[in-house]
């Protein structure tokens, strides 16, 4: 028995050691920074997102942008504004495009650790930090040129403020509502009303439970412990709603939606094709099965279990352990549960359910429920410290989960980076950089012939593709000195170009299925 106790004390001491926290934090930052190396924009629609800020700087289109293929950009412009501002400061597009997601990931990590540590102890803080940093979803999105990580950060801030209000039993003040309005507006200008799907279902369920408990507390003789609120039954009911409610009022929702609708109306009026491509196809099309590829109702759940492992397994295991200790009395477990823990459950399950009901699904879209899942795991760990038997098991399981997550995350990142360089995933990046260098040395006027690789425009710092017939006309009139063209189209083009020759510059061969090759044609 003494050996078991000693082993438990050593495990807990190791997990609560400040050096362990710093090691996990350092490893998380390192993996965030390198997981997507070699950096390129060829997949996951990164080129579309990067092009918004590029067009802002190059052409001054600050509110409505295009995609590289001349379609209307479907996302609101806030992340593009941030990238444009960062480029103005750093003069590096790689930094400007990737830093918003990276900083958002770091901010979530810090906030999770501090909140979980203060509320549930250092061990819970370490596990919350590890759960967010050491999973396949976070590693993938931390430096991806997409809006998923900034959106998750803003949604987490809103949910976190609700959690703090519930935990402290504080009423919502006008200043708090202004903060919420600002955050909701930011979320709307990042990805539109999708913020509703992640927050409103959980708020509705929590308010229903709050109202039910407040009604029970407000009936009959108050008696000792019957209600923490003094006064008449009506006053006690009103105070209970106010102190434990997740609802902060209507006006932040309506005002932020109004700002988003101003952007939408402006696009419909001033941008040709905006209504069809953004309102009909991008927004309304998500709820149908004809435009976007539909996925089954259960798509997100198994994928989340896999990509969030081993933490998803730990959450389920601790929940089963709790229920078993209460002899499977689920109703009693919910009645004894603290209000802030119940809010975390409502928040995560509400978002998962509503997103699962939308036919159009993609793995990254469910990411905003990952931070509250990490905080929920910290709450589970904090709630077992009063039970010696449960504490022993949970400490061991947490240590095993931490070790497994380190091995899986490091293995995944290393193999992904090695395969990326081996398969020349950055072939177009290197080719574009070489062409720009040559063009600068020789003062070439050059263009890019239309191709399927949208990112090539960004690698060559161009805002438009040129069609083959126009390229031929400009070349033969002497208005062009060089052309970048797909390898398979080069021979046909050169037969119609005067005094054209193939340069030694060409993109390295990429693995089959990763896109086309390109060559440089010069005089």
């Amino acid at each position: 028995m003494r050996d078991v106790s000693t082993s438990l004390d050593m495990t807990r001491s190791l997990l609560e050691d400040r050096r362990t926290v710093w090691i996990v934090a350092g490893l998380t930052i390192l993996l965030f920074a390198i997981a997507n190396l070699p950096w390129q924009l060829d997949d996951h629609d990164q080129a579309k997102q990067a092009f918004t800020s590029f067009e802002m700087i190059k052409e001054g289109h600050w509110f409505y942008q295009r995609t590289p293929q001349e379609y209307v950009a479907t996302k609101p412009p806030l992340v593009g504004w941030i990238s444009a501002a960062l480029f103005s400061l750093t003069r590096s597009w790689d930094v400007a495009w990737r830093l918003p997601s990276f900083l958002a990931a770091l901010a979530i990590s810090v906030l999770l650790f501090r909140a979980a540590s203060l509320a549930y102890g250092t061990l819970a803080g370490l596990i919350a930090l590890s759960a967010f940093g050491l999973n396949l979803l976070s590693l993938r999105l931390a430096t991806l040129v997409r809006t998923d990580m900034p959106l998750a950060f803003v949604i987490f801030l809103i949910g976190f403020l609700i959690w703090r209000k519930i935990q402290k039993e504080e009423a919502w003040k006008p200043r708090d509502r202004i903060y919420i309005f600002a955050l909701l507006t930011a979320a709307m200008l990042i990805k539109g009303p999708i913020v509703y799907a992640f927050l409103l279902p959980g708020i509705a369920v929590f308010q229903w439970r709050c109202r039910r408990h407040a009604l029970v507390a407000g009936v009959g003789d108050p008696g000792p412990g019957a209600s923490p609120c003094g006064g008449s039954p009506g006053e006690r009911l009103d105070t209970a709603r106010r102190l434990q409610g997740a609802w902060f009022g209507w006006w932040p929702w309506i005002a932020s939606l109004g700002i988003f609708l101003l952007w939408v109306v402006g696009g419909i009026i001033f941008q040709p094709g905006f209504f069809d491509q953004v309102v009909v196809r991008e927004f309304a099309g998500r709820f149908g099965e004809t435009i976007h590829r539909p996925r089954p109702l259960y798509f997100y759940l198994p994928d989340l279990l896999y990509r969030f492992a081993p933490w998803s397994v730990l959450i389920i295991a601790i929940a089963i352990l709790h229920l078993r200790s209460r002899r499977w009395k689920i109703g009693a477990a919910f009645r004894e549960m603290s209000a802030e823990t119940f809010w975390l459950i409502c928040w995560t399950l509400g978002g998962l359910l509503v997103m699962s009901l939308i036919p159009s699904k993609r793995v990254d879209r469910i990411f905003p429920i990952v931070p509250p899942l990490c905080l929920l795991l910290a709450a589970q760990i904090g709630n077992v410290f009063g039970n010696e038997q449960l504490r022993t098991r949970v400490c061991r399981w947490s240590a095993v989960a931490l070790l497994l997550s380190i091995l899986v995350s490091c293995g995944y990142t290393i193999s992904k980076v090695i395969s990326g360089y081996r398969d020349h995933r950055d072939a177009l990046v290197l080719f574009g950089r070489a062409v720009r260098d040559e063009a600068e040395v020789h003062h070439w006027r050059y263009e890019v012939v239309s191709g399927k690789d949208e990112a090539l425009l960004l690698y060559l710092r161009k805002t438009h593709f040129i069609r083959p017939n126009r390229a031929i006309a400009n070349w033969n009139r002497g208005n062009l000195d060089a052309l970048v063209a797909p390898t398979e189209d080069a021979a046909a083009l050169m037969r119609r170009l005067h005094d054209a020759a193939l340069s030694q510059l060409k993109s390295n061969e990429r693995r089959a299925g990763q896109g086309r090759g390109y060559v440089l044609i010069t005089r």
Side-chain angles (χ1 to χ4, degrees):
M1 187 69 182
R2 182 177 299 175
D3 292 339
V4 173
S5 177
T6 302
S7 175
L8 174 63
D9 291 340
M10 290 179 61
T11 301
R12 186 170 178 181
S13 298
L14 178 63
L15 292 176
E16 293 182 344
D17 193 313
R18 183 170 293 274
R19 286 171 294 185
T20 304
V21 174
W22 281 110
I23 290 171
V24 171
L27 180 62
T28 298
I29 295 172
L30 176 64
L31 294 179
F32 279 174
I34 70 172
N36 287 312
L37 290 176
W39 285 349
Q40 43 78 28
L41 303 169
D42 300 325
D43 51 12
H44 306 302
D45 288 337
Q46 293 184 89
K48 289 183 174 65
Q49 178 58 40
F51 197 77
T52 59
S53 55
F54 185 74
E55 187 179 355
M56 289 174 187
I57 294 293
K58 295 296 183 180
E59 299 191 350
H61 299 162
W62 292 97
F63 291 97
Y64 306 98
Q65 298 81 37
R66 299 168 295 105
T67 68
Q69 297 291 356
E70 302 291 338
Y71 296 108
V72 177
T74 58
K75 299 292 187 297
L78 180 57
V79 175
W81 291 342
I82 295 171
S83 291
L86 288 171
F87 176 77
S88 299
L89 293 173
T90 64
R91 312 309 297 178
S92 168
W93 280 116
D94 278 331
V95 172
W97 288 330
R98 300 184 187 276
L99 196 58
S101 291
F102 184 71
L103 293 180
L106 294 184
I108 295 173
S109 301
V110 172
L111 187 57
L112 270 172
F113 175 73
R114 288 182 60 84
S117 298
L118 290 173
Y120 308 114
T122 305
L123 172 58
L126 172 66
I127 297 303
L129 170 65
S130 305
F132 179 75
L134 304 176
N135 70 79
L136 302 187
L137 277 170
S138 297
L139 294 176
R140 176 185 180 184
L141 294 174
T143 53
L144 210 62
V145 186
R146 288 187 56 83
T147 57
D148 300 283
M149 188 65 78
L151 177 68
F153 173 57
V154 175
I155 291 176
F156 181 63
L157 283 178
I158 298 171
F160 173 77
L161 288 176
I162 295 173
W163 177 77
R164 289 289 288 171
K165 287 293 180 183
I166 295 170
Q167 184 189 45
K168 292 185 174 182
E169 295 188 344
E170 291 180 350
W172 289 96
K173 299 176 183 178
R175 183 177 59 182
D176 302 324
R177 293 185 175 92
I178 293 174
Y179 292 156
I180 293 291
F181 161 70
L183 291 171
L184 283 173
T185 302
M188 291 284 187
L189 293 179
I190 290 174
K191 219 167 187 175
I194 194 68
V195 62
Y196 287 3
F198 289 103
L199 291 171
L200 278 180
I203 290 175
V205 174
F206 184 87
Q207 288 300 107
W208 170 80
R209 178 184 187 260
C210 180
R211 178 181 177 84
R212 183 182 174 189
H213 282 221
L215 284 171
V216 172
V219 174
D221 182 21
S227 172
C229 316
S232 67
E235 291 172 342
R236 295 201 304 273
L237 173 61
D238 180 68
T239 305
R241 289 176 183 171
R242 187 164 45 83
L243 294 184
Q244 288 199 331
W247 183 250
F248 40 77
W250 283 105
W251 82 258
W253 296 98
I254 296 173
S256 58
L257 179 61
I259 292 176
F260 173 73
L261 290 178
L262 282 176
W263 177 79
V264 172
V265 171
I268 294 172
I269 295 174
F270 299 110
Q271 280 291 107
F274 186 94
F275 182 79
D276 290 333
Q277 295 176 36
V278 179
V279 178
V280 175
R281 183 178 179 85
E282 178 67 15
F283 180 71
R286 299 290 178 192
F287 299 92
E289 299 185 0
T290 56
I291 298 178
H292 300 279
R293 181 182 176 185
R295 299 281 190 173
L297 184 67
Y298 57 83
F299 173 79
Y300 283 130
L301 184 58
D303 197 84
L304 188 63
L305 290 173
Y306 157 66
R307 295 181 188 276
F308 194 55
W311 308 109
S312 55
V313 177
L314 183 60
I315 289 174
I316 296 171
I318 295 176
I320 292 173
L321 196 63
H322 271 289
L323 290 176
R324 186 180 175 186
S325 68
R326 289 176 169 82
R327 298 182 180 180
W328 303 100
K329 295 179 180 178
I330 299 177
F334 275 100
R335 283 192 298 271
E336 297 171 8
M337 186 180 296
S338 65
E340 62 268 23
T341 302
F342 185 73
W343 159 243
L344 295 175
I345 294 176
C346 293
W347 181 6
T348 53
L349 293 185
L352 177 61
L353 177 61
V354 173
M355 293 299 292
S356 296
L357 293 175
I358 300 174
S360 175
K361 298 178 178 70
R362 189 164 62 188
V363 174
D364 301 337
R365 291 195 188 119
I366 202 64
F367 182 74
I369 74 168
V370 170
L373 270 178
C374 299
L375 196 53
L376 176 60
L377 176 57
Q380 287 181 300
I381 293 174
N383 291 335
V384 304
F385 284 159
N387 186 312
E388 180 68 28
Q389 186 177 4
L390 296 184
R391 184 169 71 244
T392 301
R393 293 186 180 182
V394 169
C395 279
R396 289 175 178 171
W397 293 353
S398 299
V400 172
L402 177 58
L403 180 60
L404 283 176
S405 68
I406 291 174
L407 294 175
V408 170
S409 298
C410 290
Y412 165 80
T413 302
I414 292 171
S415 64
K416 188 170 179 282
V417 171
I418 291 175
S419 66
Y421 283 107
R422 184 188 62 230
D423 297 334
H424 303 291
R425 201 174 293 151
D426 61 340
L428 290 185
V429 180
L430 300 177
F431 174 68
R433 186 181 302 149
V435 170
R436 295 199 319 269
D437 291 342
E438 287 292 313
E440 185 176 356
V441 170
H442 297 95
H443 305 288
W444 283 339
R445 297 163 296 173
Y446 68 97
E447 294 290 348
V448 189
V449 177
S450 301
K452 294 182 179 179
D453 292 283
E454 296 181 323
L456 188 62
L457 274 184
L458 295 164
Y459 301 148
L460 293 167
R461 304 297 188 256
K462 291 291 181 180
T463 56
H464 301 273
F465 285 112
I466 188 171
R467 298 197 176 278
N469 289 337
R470 186 180 175 188
I472 292 168
N474 287 345
W475 179 281
N476 292 335
R477 284 198 294 263
N479 295 332
L480 288 176
D481 304 306
L483 274 176
V484 174
T487 303
E488 58 265 36
D489 299 338
L493 274 174
M494 290 184 64
R495 284 195 293 268
R496 301 175 61 187
L497 298 174
H498 299 163
D499 303 323
L502 276 179
S503 168
Q504 295 296 319
L505 283 180
K506 62 179 181 179
S507 61
N508 290 330
E509 290 295 326
R510 293 180 287 175
R511 193 177 63 183
Q514 287 189 346
R516 312 164 83 183
Y518 291 84
V519 296
L520 177 66
I521 302 172
T522 61
R523 292 186 181 275

